[in-house]
Amino acid sequence: MTERGVDRRPGWGAQLRERLGQALFLRVAGPEGPAHAARIHGTPGPRWFPADSPIARVHGDASMFVGGIRALLLQSMHPAAMRAVSEHSGFRGDMWGRLHRTSRFLAVTTFGTAEHAQQAVDAVRAIHERVTGTMPDGTPYAAGDPHLLAWVHVAEIDSFLLAHQTYGARPLDAAEQDTYVAQAAEVARRLGVLDPPTTVTELREVLAGYRDELRATPEAREAVRYVLLKPPLPLAARAPYAVLAGAAIGLMPAWTRPGLRLPWLPVTERTVVRAAGSAAVGTIRWAMSR
């Protein structure tokens, strides 16, 4: 469209940024993402959390793309959690489907009506009841086990918060970080987590308490390779995704790197990777705001 001979259309660079940002968004939210977003944000009714509360700021920011990848990598370090994913979810065939469902659950419980949020929690709990099995040594596992649920929860919340503080548009102050952890704990309790952490200090203590249980199994390494190296994305979107993945790796604890065969380049991660990650997250944020 032109006006008085002046081309008002977005330039080629802006169009490319928008296409790449939307391609990544649709891969995380799924093809029905826009419709679900309209339902989540457009349905009137009371919500669990205020619109500008810390949990809304964290879960609504594009830094969640980095936090989500980091959460998948960190969660894989628990053998029982990884076994449940491998046997019941199929990280190869349905990894992106799992990501769609997780993204939708976070959006509904954070931004949706209280009724829709509780329905989402009830649906997840029903799924967890069916996810059971045994470890290679014969030890039983169950997705609904509060101890396993707590690991999944703290790995996610730690990842989302760290990514937000590193790449978010509006990082939280110390009090807001505690509020975020406490708000996330409200959802965790409804899912079956017993006594979830409600402050950053408690979050770190709970994470440290799992350290002796964590190790990189062959299943974990295979899942990590799949997440990092085989994204089902258009060719043009793979380079930006690689930047996001690199940013996520850069936020992983150093002790996890050898077992998962992840690189550790502290100087590069603080400079080149951080700058590239900020640019990639900014591109997605820009595309999502269009």
Side-chain angles (χ1 to χ4, degrees):
M1 179 71 68
T2 61
E3 182 180 353
R4 295 182 181 179
V6 178
D7 191 346
R8 301 293 185 184
R9 293 174 298 181
W12 178 85
Q15 292 180 38
L16 178 61
R17 281 205 306 170
E18 185 167 7
R19 285 199 299 271
L20 293 178
Q22 289 178 345
L24 291 168
F25 170 75
L26 289 175
R27 270 300 172 185
V28 172
E32 298 178 356
H36 287 297
R39 174 177 177 266
I40 290 167
H41 294 279
T43 303
R47 264 71 177 165
W48 283 351
F49 307 108
D52 195 41
S53 61
I55 195 170
R57 281 167 57 183
V58 173
H59 292 178
D61 191 83
S63 59
M64 285 287 285
F65 283 74
V66 175
I69 297 171
R70 198 255 194 185
L72 290 175
L73 301 180
L74 186 59
Q75 287 169 347
S76 74
M77 290 292 293
H78 196 292
M82 191 63 250
R83 183 83 168 182
V85 169
S86 178
E87 290 190 337
H88 294 273
S89 295
F91 60 83
R92 299 178 193 83
D94 195 35
M95 192 273 284
W96 290 95
R98 289 181 56 239
L99 196 57
H100 299 165
R101 292 188 290 273
T102 300
S103 171
R104 192 177 308 153
F105 177 82
L106 289 169
V108 170
T109 54
T110 304
F111 303 104
T113 64
E115 179 183 4
H116 288 164
Q118 188 59 52
Q119 289 172 355
V121 167
D122 294 342
V124 170
R125 294 197 69 154
I127 292 171
H128 285 170
E129 291 178 1
R130 301 193 296 269
V131 177
T132 60
T134 57
M135 300 296 292
D137 64 0
T139 303
Y141 71 80
D145 174 12
H147 184 71
L148 196 57
L149 285 172
W151 162 250
V152 173
H153 170 68
V154 295
E156 281 188 350
I157 299 310
D158 182 65
S159 296
F160 299 158
L161 181 58
L162 180 58
H164 186 81
Q165 294 304 100
T166 306
Y167 294 107
R170 299 166 57 200
L172 308 179
D173 62 29
E176 290 170 334
Q177 291 180 58
D178 283 343
T179 299
Y180 170 68
V181 177
Q183 289 179 322
E186 294 183 34
V187 181
R189 287 191 197 93
R190 294 172 186 266
L191 283 172
V193 178
L194 303 179
D195 195 24
T198 57
T199 67
V200 172
T201 297
E202 291 178 3
L203 175 64
R204 291 171 180 162
E205 290 173 352
V206 173
L207 282 165
Y210 280 92
R211 180 69 181 273
D212 290 341
E213 301 176 36
L214 307 180
R215 65 180 185 277
T217 63
E219 290 171 326
R221 286 191 288 270
E222 186 177 3
V224 166
R225 285 195 299 272
Y226 188 85
V227 170
L228 297 180
L229 302 178
K230 298 181 180 180
L233 290 167
L235 189 61
R238 291 189 180 183
Y241 177 82
V243 173
L244 295 174
I249 292 171
L251 298 182
M252 287 288 286
W255 60 267
T256 66
R257 312 289 185 94
L260 293 178
R261 297 175 183 168
L262 299 174
W264 186 43
L265 305 168
V267 175
T268 303
E269 289 171 4
R270 289 196 302 268
T271 55
V272 177
V273 173
R274 188 69 56 86
S278 295
V281 170
T283 294
I284 296 171
R285 185 180 295 120
W286 175 85
M288 290 170 61
S289 67
R290 299 287 289 173

